[in-house]
Each structure stands twice: as structure tokens, then as C-alpha cells.
Amino acid sequence: MRITLIGSGNVATHLAAAFKNAGHRIVQVYSRDMQNAALLAYHVKAEAIDDLQNIDTETDLFIISVKDDAIVSIAESLVRYKKLTVHTSGATDLQSLSAIIPTAGVFYPLQTLSKNKEVDFLTVPLCIEGANEQITLELEQLAQTVSNKVYRIDSAQRKTLHLAAVFACNFPNYLYDVARQLLQDQRIDFELIRPLILETAQKVQGHLPGEVQTGPAIRNDENTMAMHTQMLEDEPGLKMIYELLSQGIIKNDKGGH
């Protein structure tokens, strides 16, 4: 398939590589920053452009991989080409795109991606949705050329999936940095806690998270929790987070949601 990527960020970078490795042709890479477009285009042997007026119409698919609030304006610039067009957003519903371009879909990779870190894209879950069954089938077949984990996920499901991903990925990463700061204040190397982080992540690969919960809250160790909150007296924001999360763990252990 001939593919044009609108965007040159983390998601676009990994999609471009995956498609090229699967034998598809990347026709063009668009970015408002020509240097970014050129860098990605060079690696996938495509043409770099920084103006949507220079779109090559000899393409089969536009993949819009930009910030969510730019999807609509990009779609409005592409509608005249009457091509199959998808976005890669987890939080934007299909209707936002299909209201502008009837031949629309979603191609959402559920993974945290960075330009400078390789991933085995065959293991990345791809969540697809089409404006009709024919488009869905076409996107499903395309997805199966680059991933072994392809799922039909509608817009409502995808929004929930995206919310769950924030809790499972973005929030823990923030908490890792909180831990780093606490350690740094006592001149303790963050390296000391990395094995704990790894073991925690590995446990949930074979168990439900609630089954392997540890720590003072699950033990209802009030003395330890009181000591911790006292240590955070000068950090009211962190103290509140500690108390909220501890109460959440206790509630879950008692059968709460």
C-alpha cells in the first residue's frame, strides 16, 4: 500500500518503520518543521514536505498522526483528495474525522513510543475502527501486516482504553519520578529502586494487579502510613497523593471499585 504520513513524531516514526519493513511504500512525510519531516522521510525513502498543498495524490492512505487538537484542521485540508484517511489518537472519536472525510478510520497503537527506542512492532496492539465494514476490513488487513495483535475497538471503548493507559503508564511514570526526587533529596541513587520497579511490572504479566498488591496499605499498617504522611508534611501535594492512593488500595482490598 502507498502511505502518506501526516506528522513526524513518535507514533509516526514507528509506524513509518513498521510499514516500510512490511513492504509498504511511504510516499511522503509531512511536518510543519521541514527538518523533522526530512529526517523521518530519509529513513523510509520518502519525500519530505512542510506544506499540505504539495501532497502527492498518488497515495492510498493518509495517516494523521498529530496532536489531537490539530486532527480536524488537517482533515479539512485533505478532504478534497477523497482518500482513505485515519488518525492515530486514542482520545479522539471516529466521528470527528468521518464528519469531514467519509472514508475515515482509526489506527491506534496502544504502546508508549519514543523515537530513540526501538520496539518490536509485531507485539504492539493495534486498535482499528472504520466508518463502515469495508473500511474496517481494509484497516484490519493492513494492521495484520505490521502487528500480530489487532483488535476491533470502537470509539467509546478506545476512550476507556486510553484512560486506562494513562493510569497504567503515565501516572506510574510520574510516581517513578516522585520516587527519584525523594531519593535524590537523601543522596540515594535511583538505580537502587529499579529492580523493584521491574519486578512489580513483571508480576502483573502473569497475575491480576490486585492479586499481587503489597505495601503498608494492603496490610492496613496504620503506623507506617502515619509515619510516611508525617515525612511528607512539607509536601502537601505528595501527602494528598499518598493518602488518596493508600485509601484506594484499602478500598480495593475490601471489594471496592
Side-chain angles (χ1 to χ4, degrees):
M1 182 176 277
R2 295 167 298 182
I3 299 168
T4 294
L5 283 158
I6 310 299
S8 61
N10 295 340
V11 174
T13 296
H14 284 276
L15 282 175
F19 284 129
K20 181 178 182 296
N21 291 339
H24 300 284
R25 179 190 168 200
I26 309 300
V27 178
Q28 290 178 316
V29 174
Y30 162 83
S31 175
R32 290 180 302 175
D33 185 321
M34 189 60 171
Q35 185 175 356
N36 289 339
L39 182 61
L40 178 53
Y42 171 80
H43 287 292
V44 294
K45 295 181 170 52
E47 178 188 6
I49 60 171
D50 61 357
D51 188 340
L52 290 175
Q53 298 295 322
N54 296 328
I55 285 287
D56 185 341
T57 59
E58 293 301 311
T59 192
D60 302 309
L61 170 67
F62 291 125
I63 297 181
I64 302 175
S65 187
V66 297
K67 292 181 179 180
D68 290 3
D69 58 7
I71 291 174
V72 169
S73 62
I74 292 290
E76 290 171 344
S77 297
L78 298 176
V79 62
R80 66 180 182 272
Y81 299 112
K82 299 180 180 180
K83 301 288 185 178
L84 176 59
T85 305
V86 301
H87 71 63
T88 62
S89 169
T92 304
D93 60 31
L94 172 61
Q95 198 275 335
S96 298
L97 188 57
S98 62
I100 301 167
I101 302 174
T103 52
V106 179
F107 204 90
Y108 171 54
L110 180 61
Q111 184 55 277
T112 175
L113 300 169
S114 302
K115 286 184 180 180
N116 58 357
K117 188 178 188 305
E118 291 187 14
V119 299
D120 180 1
F121 212 86
L122 288 172
T123 68
V124 174
L126 287 178
C127 304
I128 57 99
E129 182 183 13
N132 57 48
E133 180 62 17
Q134 180 180 344
I135 291 174
T136 301
L137 279 171
E138 188 171 352
L139 293 178
E140 195 170 43
Q141 292 168 0
L142 174 63
Q144 288 168 349
T145 67
V146 293
S147 173
N148 293 328
K149 298 179 181 292
V150 179
Y151 302 88
R152 291 190 179 200
I153 300 290
D154 65 29
S155 290
Q157 292 173 317
R158 190 173 60 259
K159 286 182 178 180
T160 300
L161 190 60
H162 190 262
L163 174 60
V166 170
F167 274 96
C169 174
N170 306 140
F171 289 167
N173 195 65
Y174 163 72
L175 294 176
Y176 296 156
D177 199 53
V178 169
R180 179 195 61 78
Q181 293 173 50
L182 291 170
L183 294 170
Q184 181 177 279
D185 289 345
Q186 293 297 321
R187 297 186 297 279
I188 302 171
D189 193 336
F190 182 71
E191 191 67 28
L192 194 62
I193 209 168
R194 288 186 194 272
L196 175 64
I197 293 171
L198 180 60
E199 177 65 15
T200 304
Q202 288 177 337
K203 279 182 179 179
V204 297
Q205 302 308 310
H207 301 273
L208 292 176
E211 296 173 346
V212 292
Q213 183 70 57
T214 61
I218 199 71
R219 298 192 304 268
N220 199 27
D221 184 347
E222 295 182 357
N223 289 336
T224 298
M225 288 188 286
M227 178 187 68
H228 287 167
T229 55
Q230 179 63 36
M231 292 170 67
L232 293 170
E233 279 297 327
D234 294 335
E235 296 282 355
L238 294 184
K239 179 182 177 182
M240 182 176 66
I241 291 171
Y242 182 97
E243 292 174 339
L244 285 171
L245 292 178
S246 295
Q247 287 304 311
I249 291 170
I250 293 168
K251 184 177 179 181
N252 271 357
D253 188 48
K254 292 179 178 178
H257 182 56

